[in-house]
Amino acid sequence: MTVAGALPSTSGVASSSPWHFWAYFNAHLHQDLSWLWDHVWLSALPVVIGLSIALPLGWLASRYKWIYPPMLSIAGLLYTIPSIALFVLIPPLLGLKALNPIQVPIALTIYSVALLVRVVADGLGSVPEDVLQAATAMGFGPIQRLFKVELPIAVPVIAAGLRVATVSNVSIVAVAGTIGLANLGQLFTTGFQLSTPTAYYPPIVLGIVLCVALALAFDVVIVTANRLLTPWRRAVQGR
């Protein structure tokens, strides 16, 4: 949760070739790992908070059809706000200090909710009507039916939306590096600053590699969780 510090030195890195990103990583291991950890929690926390907000909103949109159009319109408008504008505006609006790391998850929570509301609503809306009627006939109330029937069936759809939201967050968090907040985006800023008078690629390529690796790791976690939460789908596919 630290703000980025001084510009890293290029000492110990033999070449400015893009393929020498690993040498740059080893030369600045402590700083790079610190930025990687910052990027992890800044990307993951908004998805968790966003899902917890999107679940009740999506349930309302799927249960009361008149809510669906305006809610999705508002969500779409929120997602069109440029991320850099949110990063700059949130501190004065909420009384935070400039370059407070909390401004990033707040902004990304808005984006996560905007993406996930539609996903949750569509996932719950995809539950067959006869399944809902059967659950009601068994004595399930609305809340009990939601958690025991609707959400389990909607998990694959929601998981697909989570994959998109998480990968999107990994990308958007890097933008916060341009205003001085600590994350892997600082590698891009560092690369641009060191590219004078000649181009210096290792930190830029390293930032791309680590962002892609982090996005893939999040994706694996979500896919694995989806499989664990829907064991009946494997049973059906195995027939």
Side-chain angles (χ1 to χ4, degrees):
M1 296 179 62
T2 57
V3 176
L7 190 68
S9 166
T10 60
S11 61
V13 183
S15 170
S16 63
S17 167
W19 303 109
H20 285 76
F21 66 89
W22 189 251
Y24 184 92
F25 179 68
N26 288 327
H28 307 90
L29 185 63
H30 178 74
Q31 180 67 85
D32 294 339
L33 290 179
S34 175
W35 284 342
L36 176 60
W37 167 245
D38 287 329
H39 211 102
V40 169
W41 78 266
L42 288 173
S43 302
L45 182 61
V47 175
V48 175
I49 299 175
L51 179 61
S52 66
I53 297 173
L55 282 173
L57 293 179
W59 177 77
L60 287 173
S62 67
R63 184 172 177 85
Y64 304 102
K65 300 303 181 183
W66 62 271
I67 296 179
Y68 186 93
M71 184 175 292
L72 265 61
S73 296
I74 293 172
L77 289 173
L78 288 175
Y79 202 77
T80 62
I81 302 174
S83 58
I84 192 70
L86 276 183
F87 294 149
V88 172
L89 289 174
I90 283 176
L93 289 176
L94 299 183
L96 301 174
K97 293 182 179 178
L99 299 183
N100 188 323
I102 298 299
Q103 69 196 75
V104 177
I106 291 174
L108 292 186
T109 295
I110 295 174
Y111 289 137
S112 297
V113 172
L115 279 174
L116 294 175
V117 163
R118 176 189 291 270
V119 171
V120 172
D122 291 346
L124 295 176
S126 69
V127 179
E129 185 63 30
D130 57 339
V131 173
L132 298 177
Q133 292 176 358
T136 302
M138 292 174 63
F140 287 2
I143 302 300
Q144 191 178 21
R145 189 179 68 179
L146 171 66
F147 285 101
K148 292 189 175 182
V149 178
E150 297 176 65
L151 275 178
I153 295 176
V155 162
V157 177
I158 296 174
L162 283 174
R163 295 172 70 181
V164 174
T166 305
V167 171
S168 176
N169 279 1
V170 171
S171 176
I172 297 175
V173 166
V175 176
T178 63
I179 60 173
L181 289 167
N183 59 70
L184 293 177
Q186 281 292 314
L187 289 168
F188 304 127
T189 303
T190 298
F192 293 138
Q193 291 174 339
L194 295 177
S195 293
T196 303
T198 58
Y200 187 71
Y201 297 110
I204 298 174
V205 177
L206 177 61
I208 295 172
V209 170
L210 290 179
C211 283
V212 171
L214 181 58
L216 288 174
F218 280 138
D219 195 63
V220 169
V221 170
I222 295 171
V223 170
T224 302
N226 179 34
R227 288 176 61 85
L228 292 175
L229 292 171
T230 57
W232 61 86
R233 298 185 72 205
R234 297 196 299 275
V236 172
Q237 293 171 357
R239 290 179 181 176

